[in-house]
Amino acid sequence: MGIFSQTAGQIFLQDVVSVYDRSPFEIAVFLLMLFVPIAALVSYAVVARRREHRRAAERAEKAFQTACRKHDLTPSRSALMEAIARQGARPDQKHLVFEDESLFNRGVKSLAAFGSFADDSISAMRLILGFTRHGGVPISSVSLPPGSGIAIAIEGQPTVTAARVRSQKIGGMVIETENEWKALKAGRRVRVLYQSSSGVYSFISTVLKVQGRLVLLRHSEHVNRSQRRRYFRKSVETEIGIATKKDSTFHPVTTVDMGGGGLSFRSDRPDLKVGTSITIRFYPPIAPEDDRSRTSNALGKIVRLGDDWSVHVQFTTIRDALRDRIISSLFRFSGDSAPTSSSDDLLSEE
């Protein structure tokens, strides 16, 4: 017996080791038997998921086609919605572009890189689907609600006139200007300024039709925060006070025009020369009724004198709140509610 004797424990360990002492073929057969069922289950799950996705996509396609018929879309508008859905939603969500404005906007944003669809076609679909997003940050020209004040300028020119939105139509946006503007003719490119609670925005449009004070503008999908708002001005007649360093008394004058960057007025005072620094005091309606006079003052410098006694002033120091009130004056509309009697076709619904 001696050292050649084996304990029960040693015998057990030898039996355990012998279990794993198998040939490569036996090991391969064992692994195959282990993994084949698992692979079969995984493959079934993948096939089932793909089948469900395909069925979901088929259901979405049927719902999409139903929505196209419901909205009575033309072939070109159906093609537009097809392109928007392809860019903005998964195949199983395709029909949701008729209901979810965020999916619609995502598709439009991606589609803009291709430039294959005109702005007015996209804006028309916004109106058809009710994706107008009034208030806050405007995403399209259709975001401007009827009745809102705007300012309009011929592209490349700083002078604006006040106007208001009369109606949003599939064929364009109808606006009403304060006065008939002979320079506004079909084909003219114009810049539209719009002020909301979140800032001043602008976009470029084209005049499609003019009838009296009513103007039909092409819709735009490119509305951006205006970085040049201070350089636009409007003809505004309002009383202000002017004082110089030599004469600190505020003398009343009447403005000719005004904007975020400066103003002009008429005066025959000989001490007002180019380069003269002046203090400008604003009164209501530019300044609030309850505002103290010192908070409604701005500093300016005379930059040009006109032959018609006009004095042109550039602001050098002005509070942001006061500048914002001046900019707001560009959007004040004082026209009547019946511009012409021959404009029924512009105001009629399509």
Side-chain angles (χ1 to χ4, degrees):
M1 308 236 348
I3 60 174
F4 298 102
S5 64
Q6 292 179 321
T7 65
Q10 290 173 325
I11 295 173
F12 174 75
L13 290 175
Q14 288 179 351
D15 291 340
V16 171
V17 171
S18 67
V19 173
Y20 294 95
D21 187 16
R22 296 289 185 264
S23 68
F25 175 77
E26 290 176 313
I27 294 175
V29 171
F30 173 76
L31 292 177
L32 189 63
M33 293 177 64
L34 178 65
F35 288 109
V36 164
I38 295 176
L41 290 175
V42 171
S43 298
Y44 176 79
V46 171
V47 171
R49 186 167 58 230
R50 288 178 178 174
R51 185 186 302 117
E52 180 56 33
H53 285 172
R54 185 169 61 253
R55 289 174 178 172
E58 291 172 354
R59 290 194 296 268
E61 177 64 30
K62 290 181 181 178
F64 180 88
Q65 296 301 331
T66 300
C68 287
R69 290 190 295 271
K70 175 184 176 182
H71 293 286
D72 196 22
L73 298 187
T74 62
S76 61
R77 287 175 179 162
S78 296
L80 171 61
M81 289 301 293
E82 181 80 35
I84 292 174
R86 188 165 53 249
Q87 296 296 325
R90 300 195 310 263
D92 59 331
Q93 294 180 328
K94 181 178 181 180
H95 61 298
L96 296 180
V97 294
F98 285 91
E99 308 167 13
D100 191 331
E101 187 174 357
S102 63
L103 291 179
F104 182 93
N105 291 338
R106 185 191 307 168
V108 168
K109 185 177 181 180
S110 299
L111 201 61
F114 301 98
S116 54
F117 292 93
D119 278 11
D120 43 6
S121 298
I122 297 173
S123 297
M125 282 309 310
R126 290 188 185 279
L127 286 171
I128 291 172
L129 300 178
F131 294 160
T132 51
R133 195 174 174 178
H134 289 163
V137 179
I139 196 169
S140 164
S141 59
V142 301
S143 302
L144 279 59
S148 58
I150 61 173
I152 181 172
I154 295 175
E155 178 62 356
Q157 299 182 14
T159 302
V160 303
T161 188
R164 66 179 174 184
V165 179
R166 285 296 296 259
S167 64
Q168 294 283 5
K169 299 159 61 71
I170 290 178
M173 181 174 71
V174 180
I175 69 167
E176 174 191 352
T177 59
E178 277 190 315
N179 305 292
E180 287 193 33
W181 195 3
K182 299 299 183 182
L184 281 184
K185 299 179 181 179
R188 279 275 199 180
R189 281 171 58 85
V190 295
R191 180 173 293 274
V192 178
L193 301 172
Y194 169 66
Q195 186 178 41
S196 73
S197 58
S198 58
V200 178
Y201 298 84
S202 71
F203 60 89
I204 298 293
S205 182
T206 303
V207 176
L208 299 176
K209 193 174 183 180
V210 179
Q211 287 186 349
R213 286 174 23 222
L214 293 185
V215 182
L216 181 65
L217 298 179
R218 187 183 301 278
H219 281 304
S220 174
E221 288 290 310
H222 302 278
V223 181
N224 301 299
R225 185 181 292 273
S226 178
Q227 303 298 330
R228 301 174 60 241
R229 65 189 186 276
R230 68 178 59 186
Y231 300 110
F232 288 97
R233 64 177 185 269
K234 175 191 173 186
S235 297
V236 177
E237 290 189 1
T238 187
E239 183 177 299
I240 59 175
I242 298 296
T244 64
K245 291 182 179 179
K246 294 182 178 180
D247 184 0
S248 59
T249 301
F250 284 94
H251 297 276
V253 295
T254 301
T255 60
V256 176
D257 59 38
M258 189 182 305
L263 53 80
S264 67
F265 58 89
R266 287 192 174 88
S267 175
D268 59 356
R269 286 175 52 177
D271 59 329
L272 298 181
K273 300 177 180 179
V274 173
T276 301
S277 295
I278 61 174
T279 301
I280 308 157
R281 174 163 293 178
F282 292 90
Y283 306 110
I286 301 298
E289 293 283 354
D290 58 350
D291 200 6
R292 291 179 296 175
S293 19
R294 68 177 180 86
T295 63
S296 295
N297 291 350
L299 300 181
K301 181 175 66 175
I302 297 175
V303 294
R304 184 164 60 89
L305 299 176
D307 296 333
D308 56 351
W309 301 104
S310 58
V311 180
H312 300 264
V313 179
Q314 177 181 325
F315 295 137
T316 55
T317 303
I318 182 172
R319 294 172 61 249
D320 286 341
L322 180 55
R323 191 196 301 275
D324 288 342
R325 290 198 295 270
I326 292 173
I327 292 172
S328 296
S329 70
L330 305 181
F331 301 88
R332 290 196 187 123
F333 181 86
S334 59
D336 56 58
S337 59
T340 62
S341 59
S342 60
S343 304
D344 294 339
D345 58 326
L346 272 185
L347 293 175
S348 62
E349 293 296 330
E350 292 182 353

